[in-house]
Structures are given as C-alpha cells and as structure tokens.
C-alpha cells in the first residue's frame, strides 16, 4: 500500500487558547518535517475548516479511507499524538478506528469520522 496519497490538513486561521496567536502554520511546518519524508504524508494548511468553536482543527484523509477531523488541538501538547495517529491511520486498510485505538490525547478531540463509502 502506498502512503503518498495520505494527507493531513491543518487550519491556519484557528486562534490558540490565548485568543491571539494562530499556531496552525507552525504545526504544518512541524508535521511536514516529522512526517513528510518518513511516512510520505502531504501536510498542508488551509484558511478555515469551520471548527472555530474547537480550534485548532486537523484533518486526516486518504483515498478509500474514512476521514477524521480533530479539534481542540494544542500543537505543543498534542503533537506526539498526531504523529502517532498518522502512523496508525497509514496502516489501517480502510482508515476506520475506534476511539480506544486512537492516541489518548485525541480520544475526546474527534469532531468527525466520515466513512469512505456508504
């Protein structure tokens, strides 16, 4: 299975809990450095993912896999859990995981799991 089509998308407009900073682009840069070469993920930022009530939002997607949207992501606290989930997600054939299979820090931060096919 190739992982070249795996993507992580990060909202770059979400404000941090301080209400001032926008940590999304820094998170994009860190994830690109960590995952780009090692796990062949495309990591990019987008202007808004409508998760404004639970910033910072991060999505995982790949062809023919369930997609995930996480919210309330603190780039400093949740970085390792995002990297761990990237490894888990890459290895799941259909992308489907139970909450208990996701890293502990993401357990209550799942905003959506969208099936690949209905």
């Amino acid at each position: 299975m190739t992982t070249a089509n795996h993507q992580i998308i990060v909202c770059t407009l979400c404000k941090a809990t301080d209400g001032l900073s926008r940590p999304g682009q820094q998170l994009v840069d860190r994830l690109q450095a960590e995952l780009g070469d090692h796990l062949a993920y495309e990591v990019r930022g987008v202007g808004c993912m409508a998760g404004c009530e639970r910033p910072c939002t991060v999505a995982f997607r790949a062809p023919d896999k369930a997609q995930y949207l996480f919210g309330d992501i603190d780039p400093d606290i949740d970085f390792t859990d995002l990297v761990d989930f990237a490894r888990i997600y890459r290895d799941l054939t259909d992308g489907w995981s139970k909450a208990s299979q996701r890293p502990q820090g993401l357990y209550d931060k799942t905003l959506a799991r969208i099936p690949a096919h209905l």
Side-chain angles (χ1 to χ4, degrees):
M1 177 178 77
T2 181
T3 58
N5 293 326
H6 285 71
Q7 296 179 320
I8 299 174
I9 303 163
V10 179
C11 180
T12 57
L13 288 182
C14 285
K15 290 184 180 177
T17 54
D18 64 12
L20 303 172
S21 63
R22 298 178 193 268
Q25 189 58 52
Q26 282 185 322
L27 181 56
V28 168
D29 296 341
R30 287 180 67 196
L31 287 168
Q32 284 175 337
E34 182 71 25
L35 300 174
D37 292 335
H38 305 293
L39 296 180
Y41 265 88
E42 175 189 355
V43 182
R44 60 187 171 123
V46 296
C48 183
M49 292 196 299
C52 304
E53 295 297 317
R54 300 205 39 206
C56 174
T57 54
V58 177
F60 285 76
R61 70 181 185 177
D64 300 319
K65 286 190 172 191
Q67 299 174 43
Y68 290 85
L69 180 63
F70 296 102
D72 294 324
I73 298 299
D74 181 318
D76 293 326
I77 295 171
D78 299 315
F79 183 77
T80 301
D81 288 327
L82 291 171
V83 171
D84 290 346
F85 183 71
R87 289 184 175 101
I88 292 167
Y89 184 70
R90 176 201 60 196
D91 294 337
L92 293 168
T93 304
D94 59 1
W96 199 265
S97 72
K98 297 177 185 175
S100 61
Q101 295 171 300
R102 294 178 218 132
Q104 184 66 31
L106 300 179
Y107 184 81
D108 63 346
K109 296 182 179 193
T110 306
L111 302 182
R113 176 180 58 202
I114 303 163
H117 304 286
L118 296 179

